[in-house]
Amino acid sequence: MCFHCHFSSGRRLPEAARRAFLLAAGAGLAAPALAQVSVGAPSAARSLVPAEDLEQAGAQQYAQLLAQARQKGALAPDSNPQLRRLRAIAARIIPFAPQWNPRAAQWKWEVNLIGSKQVNAFCMPGGKIAFYTGILDQLKLTDDEVAMVMGHEVAHALREHAREQLAKRTGTGLALSIGAQLLGLGQVGDLAARGATQLLSLQFSRTDESEADLVGLELAARAGYNPDASVTLWQKMGNASAASQSGGLSFLSTHPSGPDRIRNLQENIPKVEGLYQAARR
C-alpha cells in the first residue's frame, strides 16, 4: 500500500489519521524546533551521499525483497489482519514524519508484512516499511508497542542514519563514487545480482539508536500511542533475548536492549506525555 497515494487519492482518511495530518500540517514541516525530545542537529556527513540516490536504492532493494517474499508465498496479502493492523498504525504515525524531515512529505510510503520467524522490522530510506511476523507473534506486541517499533524504524529513515553511515564508511573524498558502487546505482543488474542486503546490513551507531528511540517515542505519542509502551517493548526484547537459543532475534542484533536504553526512554516519557494526552482527546 502506498500511503502517498492514499493521502492524495481523494479517499477519506480514518478520523484519527485525518486529525493527525491536519495537526502536522498546521505545525509546519520543519518542526524539530517544536520537538519535545532533544536529539540535536542531523549529522553533516550525510550531505556527502545524495538523498535522492539513496531513496532510489532503498525503493529498488525493497521491491526486490518483496518479490522474493512473494515468490516464497511469504508476502502477506492486503486482506491479512496483521497487515491491516500495521497499516492502520502507520496511517496515524506518518502524518507527523515531515516535522522531522520535509522530504518525507513526498515519500511514497509503503507498509508490508513478511512471513518469517525473524524478530525484525525496518524502514528503508524513502519510507519503505516492513515487519516480519516473528516480531509480532513471538513478542505478542500490543498496538502501542508496535507503534514504538514502527516509530523507531521510521525515525532512522527520517534522521537519514543510513545516509550518514554510508558517508562515514566511504570517506569524504570518495563518498559519492564509492557510495554509488556500494548501492549498485547506475550499474544495470548489479543490485539485483547481489541481493537486497546492502541497506539492511548497515550498522547504526549508539547515538543513532538513541536518536531513533527518542524521535520514535515522540512520533508514536503524537499519534496517540502510550509512551509507556516504549519501556514494556524493550523489556520484552530483553526477555526474548535472554530466552533465545536460536539466534533468530535479528532486531536485537542491531538494536541491543539494556538498562541504559530503558532508562533513557523512561527519562523522556514525561516530555511526550502531554502530546499523548492531547492526541487521545
Side-chain angles (χ1 to χ4, degrees):
M1 179 182 188
C2 171
F3 280 85
H4 178 80
C5 298
H6 183 77
F7 290 153
S8 61
S9 65
R11 286 184 289 167
R12 186 172 178 82
L13 285 169
E15 185 59 26
R18 189 178 71 85
R19 287 200 308 269
F21 187 81
L22 292 174
L23 284 169
L29 293 184
L34 303 177
Q36 303 303 299
V37 299
S38 178
V39 293
S43 170
R46 64 181 184 164
S47 63
L48 297 172
V49 176
E52 296 86 351
D53 290 351
L54 191 59
E55 289 162 13
Q56 177 188 346
Q60 291 173 337
Q61 293 184 28
Y62 187 76
Q64 182 186 0
L65 187 69
L66 296 189
Q68 292 171 347
R70 187 179 295 110
Q71 188 175 32
K72 297 175 182 177
L75 185 64
D78 291 342
S79 59
N80 181 283
Q82 290 280 53
L83 177 56
R84 293 175 66 180
R85 175 191 182 206
L86 291 174
R87 288 175 172 173
I89 292 169
R92 289 169 56 175
I93 290 175
I94 289 170
F96 296 103
Q99 298 184 27
W100 288 94
N101 186 331
R103 293 187 60 80
Q106 304 303 320
W107 288 351
K108 294 181 179 179
W109 293 86
E110 293 186 51
V111 181
N112 283 285
L113 176 65
I114 297 172
S116 169
K117 292 182 180 180
Q118 285 190 54
V119 176
N120 207 4
F122 64 83
C123 179
M124 289 274 199
K128 307 300 187 184
I129 300 169
F131 272 64
Y132 293 87
T133 53
I135 197 169
L136 301 175
D137 297 340
Q138 293 186 44
L139 300 187
K140 296 180 170 49
L141 298 182
T142 66
D143 284 1
D144 293 304
E145 290 165 345
V146 169
M148 295 302 153
V149 174
M150 190 177 294
H152 176 99
E153 294 306 313
V154 165
H156 276 308
L158 296 176
R159 297 291 287 180
E160 299 184 299
H161 290 152
R163 192 177 168 201
E164 175 187 347
Q165 291 303 323
L166 277 173
K168 290 178 177 178
R169 175 186 292 188
T170 56
T172 303
L174 299 177
L176 297 182
S177 60
I178 298 181
Q181 293 174 20
L182 282 173
L183 296 170
L185 299 174
Q187 300 177 32
V188 179
D190 185 55
L191 183 62
R194 285 183 287 155
T197 59
Q198 294 92 330
L199 288 172
L200 291 179
S201 64
L202 284 177
Q203 297 289 315
F204 296 131
S205 70
R206 184 173 298 180
T207 299
D208 292 342
E209 288 299 321
S210 180
E211 285 186 6
D213 280 349
L214 299 188
V215 174
L217 176 69
E218 179 163 319
L219 286 170
R222 287 186 182 275
Y225 292 101
N226 190 341
D228 290 336
S230 62
V231 173
T232 60
L233 166 67
W234 288 104
Q235 288 171 338
K236 285 184 177 181
M237 290 285 187
N239 292 338
S241 178
S244 175
Q245 302 293 326
S246 63
L249 298 178
S250 303
F251 194 85
L252 286 174
S253 68
T254 53
H255 302 75
S257 179
D260 290 343
R261 185 167 215 153
I262 291 174
R263 189 180 305 112
N264 191 35
L265 285 163
Q266 288 173 324
E267 290 172 354
N268 280 273
I269 285 173
K271 297 180 182 179
V272 302
E273 182 67 29
L275 299 175
Y276 166 57
Q277 295 298 338
R280 291 187 67 196
R281 292 195 295 269

